[in-house]
Amino acid sequence: MPAPTYLIRSASVLGQETADILLEDGKIAAMGPHLEAPGAQVIEAQGLIALPGLVDLHTHLRQPGYEASETVETGSQAAALGGYTAVFAMANSKPVADSAAVVEQVHALGLDSGWVKVQPIGAVTKDLAGQQLADLGEMAASKAQVRVFSDDGMCVWDPAIMRRALEYVKTFDGVIAQHAQEPRLTEGAQMNEGKVSAELGLTGWPAVAEESIIARDVLLADHVGSRLHICHLSTKGSVEILRWAKERGIEVTAEVTPHHLLLTDELVRSYDPVYKVNPPLRTEEDVLALRQAVADGIIDIIGTDHAPHPAESKDCEWACAANGMTGLEQALSIIQMTLVETGYIGWADVARIMSFKPAEIGLASDQGRPLAVGEPANLVLLDPTARRTIVPADQATKGKNNPYRGMEVPGAVKATFYAGHPTVLDGALNSPRREG
Amino acid sequence: MKHLLDTKELSLADALNLLDTADYMAGVGQGDLLKLPHLQGKTVVNLFFEDSTRTRLSFEAAEKRLSADIINFAAKGSSVSKGESLKDTIQTLAAIKADAVVIRHSASGAPQRLAEAGWIDLPVLNAGDGTHAHPTQALLDAMTLRQFKAQRDRVETRGLTLEGLRVAIVGDILHSRVARSNLWLLNTLGAQVKLVAPPTLLPRYTDSWPAEIYHNLDEALESGVDAVMMLRIQKERMQAAFFPSAEEFTRFWGLTPERFAYLNSLNHETAVLHPGPMNRGLEICSQAADSPRSWVLRQVSNGVAVRMAALYLLMTGGSSQDFYPAA
Ligand SMILES: [Zn+2]
């Protein structure tokens, strides 16, 4: 039986000209006005925007080890619903993804699920302990073909280890994704250090703890001539350091999360742990600087830092709650709200920061490709006029720790095609893609 | 007033209502009036997740003088390391019987969670949370300062604000829930607050705080104060480099015999307060602690009265008018 073909009618490509798009054999077979394709299933996309399938360089899928929080299956379903066709799974599972065996396990789980491409990230150091390099080469050479390495959740704080890691991964054009957090400056830290923390009596997480590591690491990357990626930039000062580094020609890229583009530490006044996240929510001034930095190209990509947790990890007092919030199923809406509707960027930029560039950083060659004939048929259809209320209970992710609950947001993903297969249709999960 | 979580949201009317009620309560347990019947048949749960014999005894005395039944629950440390969560603990106790919850917790914000998370629907009284708030301590301090002002100016305490009073709060402001709660309450009552500490023991961002900040205790005293409130300093703080040594702390930030002599030499009264327990010889000298200017023991007895007032107002929905019939 031949694989079904799909004819998407009258989609606005990257929010610009309207075209029909024919998907056949996992590729874009034709694009243009008024295509005819007898036998193809027709998807009416009048008024919808077609974007390349989104790529998340920063997802916590929690498997193996924390299946109560999320599994590869539920996390990749959430991703598909959010318009993603690829996610990079962070290494802080149990056991930690610091060996070929674990990354191959995650990779295999991703293939079994089939909702999105699941690309494992490898740990930089064994057990994220920051002391001894993980099996970097073994993971790169494994079936998972790891190219992005991160101790995310922990900072590679030791400058000598960081330097060696940056150098070593050049062997296979890898990149170190740093969670920038000076550990001594953030002992016991609970929230952004500022006027709100002063009142609430919660130990502060100062901006300088992020900025000092970023400053050190861009200098290290410059010194050894390596690629460096900075996870979840959260402060205005970090933007300034990045701007300087890029002007100097240092090969550094940076990411911001949707929540750091919208939410501020004022929310912590509720002491509701749904707002507890690392790095913490910052100030309005930081939020605006981060938005501008995306517009200026100082920040390269959006990474969700999707971090699901079981209910009990948040249904407690602030100090004992886990860090993290879910992100995949409304990332595109939050970006539309904070960057597009505010005039900072257009839809073509959304394609760049949520698809092209993250795929390029992570060397996911079949992802983040232009919407053009002959390219892989990874794309998402978005209704930008839709308005919807976020209801965590209705989401596919196991994590209900969603800071946007009850909020009305713009935009709804209507369909997601992963290698020509509709994982999402009519805004709901359709079916996973099966190989061959 | 549904809960008493902090002093920040108390209006001047709320604060005076609490203090006027407390003034009446101060007479209960003395003379013929041994206890009041107002909380008969009601149960107060004392939930202490942090060691504090003094505060717990003060609350228990207050509850007994209002004829309440008492359930005490003590768990050292927070619920983080233990098996049972705060949510399960409180729901269990509420299921036994509870009409109000008094909570002491090492985690800032725990009382607010208890009040707002939807776990229970009971009045919550904060008996001190982390480094956030300690409203009954601030109220007893305000009650004491009001007594000081009334005595000095030969007026009645009832209805009195702290207008014109200059109060220096000295020591570890950063880690002090007492300082935070006093800051808001004393301002609401019209006092002028001066915070005195090395920069390491102040939050980095205090621009929006209604207080003058001093890094030099002598300057603060010379600027004119009517009361000094010395905070307890934990010696362990020096291990984390907040200050070099206990000796240096005393020399620069302590109420030493020399500084106390200076206050005595002035031609106006200066009250000395300390929330206790005192580190004699560290943040306060014995001469000051034991002098007639010391209001430390009055603070302790006032503690029972303000806790009675808070419990009464929260649990009965009454007001100070109940005890002071309109003229
Ligand atoms: Zn991180």
Side-chain angles (χ1 to χ4, degrees):
Chain A
M1 193 179 75
T5 60
Y6 295 90
L7 179 60
I8 298 166
R9 267 205 214 284
S10 309
S12 165
V13 178
L14 306 192
Q16 291 154 19
E17 63 273 21
T18 299
D20 295 354
I21 309 169
L22 182 66
L23 312 183
E24 211 170 64
D25 296 329
K27 304 240 181 263
I28 296 175
M31 274 178 80
H34 314 298
L35 296 181
E36 291 298 330
Q41 187 178 330
V42 173
I43 312 279
E44 291 297 344
Q46 185 83 43
L48 304 186
I49 292 174
L51 296 172
L54 308 182
V55 177
D56 189 11
L57 201 60
H58 195 146
T59 309
H60 295 276
L61 290 179
R62 302 296 192 215
Q63 200 175 2
Y66 301 103
E67 287 82 359
S69 298
E70 193 81 289
T71 61
V72 169
E73 176 76 7
T74 56
S76 53
Q77 285 180 345
L81 284 164
Y84 287 88
T85 53
V87 298
F88 284 71
M90 272 299 175
N92 60 344
S93 50
K94 192 171 73 184
V96 167
D98 57 7
S99 67
V102 178
V103 294
E104 287 191 346
Q105 181 192 354
V106 174
H107 182 248
L109 288 166
L111 291 176
D112 282 352
S113 286
W115 295 101
V116 292
K117 174 187 174 76
V118 173
Q119 174 59 56
I121 290 174
V124 178
T125 65
K126 287 219 165 78
D127 213 25
L128 309 180
Q131 301 194 329
Q132 196 182 350
L133 291 182
D135 300 339
L136 304 176
E138 301 276 2
M139 290 189 279
S142 74
K143 283 186 199 138
Q145 305 238 323
V146 175
R147 290 295 178 275
V148 181
F149 299 87
S150 181
D151 277 0
D152 184 60
M154 308 296 279
C155 180
V156 183
W157 61 270
D158 182 326
I161 298 271
M162 187 61 182
R163 177 209 166 134
R164 296 302 174 217
L166 284 166
E167 286 179 308
Y168 194 82
V169 300
K170 280 205 281 188
T171 319
F172 32 83
D173 200 20
V175 62
I176 305 293
Q178 175 70 297
H179 168 116
Q181 176 180 5
E182 212 296 313
R184 286 281 285 146
L185 287 173
T186 51
E187 277 173 16
Q190 296 290 326
M191 69 171 296
N192 178 49
E193 182 171 352
K195 75 177 178 40
V196 181
S197 68
E199 283 183 26
L200 295 186
L202 289 172
T203 305
W205 195 133
V208 63
E210 173 172 309
E211 293 154 8
S212 58
I213 292 292
I214 295 177
R216 181 199 78 178
D217 286 355
V218 295
L219 293 172
L220 281 174
D222 192 23
H223 180 61
V224 299
S226 295
R227 291 204 293 148
L228 167 68
H229 178 70
I230 306 294
C231 296
H232 43 52
L233 221 79
S234 71
T235 78
K236 186 181 176 183
S238 295
V239 171
E240 291 314 310
I241 295 165
L242 250 290
R243 190 186 305 274
W244 174 86
K246 288 191 163 190
E247 278 166 10
R248 208 178 145 112
I250 298 170
E251 267 196 280
V252 58
T253 54
E255 147 196 314
V256 66
T257 69
H259 48 271
H260 286 111
L261 291 169
L262 180 64
L263 310 175
T264 71
D265 63 353
E266 288 291 331
L267 291 162
V268 182
R269 291 185 188 278
S270 66
Y271 287 105
D272 184 338
V274 78
Y275 302 114
K276 185 171 174 180
V277 65
N278 192 21
L281 300 179
R282 304 286 186 185
T283 67
E284 185 72 23
E285 196 184 358
D286 294 303
V287 164
L288 295 177
L290 293 169
R291 290 181 184 182
Q292 189 60 50
V294 174
D296 294 347
I298 302 298
I299 290 176
D300 301 86
I301 68 167
I302 304 300
T304 65
D305 198 2
H306 175 79
H309 288 291
E312 61 271 20
S313 297
K314 293 287 193 179
D315 205 13
C316 55
E317 52 275 37
W318 182 276
C320 70
N323 276 308
M325 30 184 75
T326 61
L328 287 167
E329 284 164 87
Q330 61 277 322
L332 190 50
S333 289
I334 303 303
I335 295 312
Q336 181 179 342
M337 178 194 271
T338 58
L339 295 177
V340 180
E341 295 189 347
T342 49
Y344 283 97
I345 61 172
W347 288 109
D349 300 306
V350 174
R352 172 173 53 81
I353 63 177
M354 296 187 80
S355 179
F356 300 151
K357 197 71 190 179
E360 185 188 315
I361 295 167
L363 299 179
S365 56
D366 51 341
Q367 293 281 334
R369 300 296 306 163
L371 294 181
V373 174
E375 294 289 353
N378 295 317
L379 63 105
V380 52
L381 297 175
L382 166 79
D383 178 0
T385 64
R387 290 290 179 276
R388 63 194 175 105
T389 301
I390 303 290
V391 182
D394 294 348
Q395 295 195 329
T397 175
K398 282 191 181 184
K400 305 306 171 195
N401 49 310
N402 188 317
Y404 312 105
R405 63 194 170 181
M407 190 185 286
E408 195 190 74
V409 298
V413 169
K414 289 296 170 193
T416 307
F417 289 88
Y418 168 37
H421 176 83
T423 52
V424 172
L425 274 182
D426 298 322
L429 287 172
N430 179 45
S431 62
R433 172 174 172 268
R434 292 292 166 222
E435 205 83 45
Chain B
M1 217 170 44
K2 168 93 208 270
H3 308 287
L4 181 60
L5 302 175
D6 191 8
T7 52
K8 198 175 181 216
E9 49 279 336
L10 289 180
S11 66
L12 178 60
D14 289 335
L16 290 176
N17 191 27
L18 276 156
L19 293 176
D20 289 350
T21 305
D23 281 350
Y24 177 82
M25 296 299 178
V28 180
Q30 314 195 339
D32 297 338
L33 187 57
L34 289 178
K35 45 163 64 178
L36 294 175
H38 295 88
L39 298 186
Q40 201 134 45
K42 300 210 177 191
T43 302
V44 180
V45 170
N46 296 321
L47 202 53
F48 276 64
F49 287 97
E50 192 183 66
D51 275 344
S52 174
T53 312
R54 298 163 61 100
T55 306
R56 190 173 52 74
L57 289 176
S58 180
F59 268 103
E60 275 187 45
E63 289 149 10
K64 284 179 180 155
R65 286 184 200 173
L66 288 166
S67 309
D69 295 325
I70 300 172
I71 296 179
N72 281 322
F73 180 92
K76 204 182 167 192
S78 80
S79 55
V80 188
S81 48
K82 311 289 171 213
E84 194 173 55
S85 71
L86 179 60
K87 176 184 173 177
D88 289 336
T89 302
I90 190 57
Q91 289 186 337
T92 302
L93 293 169
I96 296 169
K97 174 151 169 49
D99 296 291
V101 181
V102 171
I103 177 174
R104 169 86 154 211
H105 204 292
S106 58
S108 296
Q112 190 174 330
R113 280 296 278 164
L114 214 52
E116 296 175 355
W119 303 332
I120 48 166
D121 184 21
L122 295 172
V124 174
L125 211 158
N126 182 3
D129 63 325
T131 54
H132 171 231
H134 196 351
T136 57
Q137 176 70 42
L139 284 161
L140 74 87
D141 290 335
M143 182 176 178
T144 307
L145 289 168
R146 209 160 75 139
Q147 288 165 345
F148 164 73
K149 188 185 176 198
Q151 178 183 302
R152 186 190 70 182
D153 301 348
R154 300 190 181 156
V155 292
E156 285 281 298
T157 53
R158 188 148 70 92
L160 194 66
T161 69
L162 299 179
E163 201 68 48
L165 216 61
R166 300 160 297 177
V167 183
I169 305 178
V170 187
D172 186 356
I173 311 288
L174 179 66
H175 301 98
S176 177
R177 52 192 170 210
V178 176
R180 282 177 181 75
S181 284
N182 265 303
L183 172 69
W184 310 122
L185 182 64
L186 298 185
N187 263 283
T188 300
L189 288 165
Q192 187 189 346
V193 176
K194 306 182 183 205
L195 301 177
V196 190
T200 47
L201 293 176
L202 276 162
R204 173 66 187 84
Y205 300 94
T206 51
D207 316 0
S208 59
W209 284 16
E212 285 173 28
I213 307 281
Y214 290 85
H215 298 312
N216 182 312
L217 178 54
D218 293 312
E219 267 176 35
L221 296 180
E222 283 158 21
S223 74
V225 299
D226 301 295
V228 285
M229 188 183 295
M230 306 306 298
L231 299 173
R232 179 181 169 80
I233 182 78
Q234 293 186 311
K235 285 187 194 165
E236 312 84 75
R237 299 285 179 216
M238 67 191 165
Q239 261 88 59
F242 286 100
F243 54 90
S245 68
E247 292 71 25
E248 180 159 331
F249 185 87
T250 304
R251 182 170 162 213
F252 288 98
W253 315 104
L255 186 53
T256 55
E258 295 73 27
R259 290 196 178 97
F260 184 60
Y262 166 75
L263 293 178
N264 270 328
S265 72
L266 300 174
N267 58 6
H268 69 86
E269 276 284 317
T270 311
V272 174
L273 285 79
H274 191 297
M278 291 184 282
N279 292 304
R280 286 171 183 259
L282 184 47
E283 74 266 358
I284 188 166
C285 65
S286 282
Q287 289 93 318
D290 300 331
S291 80
R293 293 178 195 279
S294 168
W295 289 72
V296 174
L297 292 176
R298 277 294 273 284
Q299 287 174 277
V300 176
S301 56
N302 286 340
V304 178
V306 297
R307 286 165 184 133
M308 289 174 76
L311 287 162
Y312 173 80
L313 297 177
L314 287 179
M315 295 178 71
T316 68
S319 86
S320 65
Q321 297 303 318
D322 304 343
F323 306 103
Y324 301 103

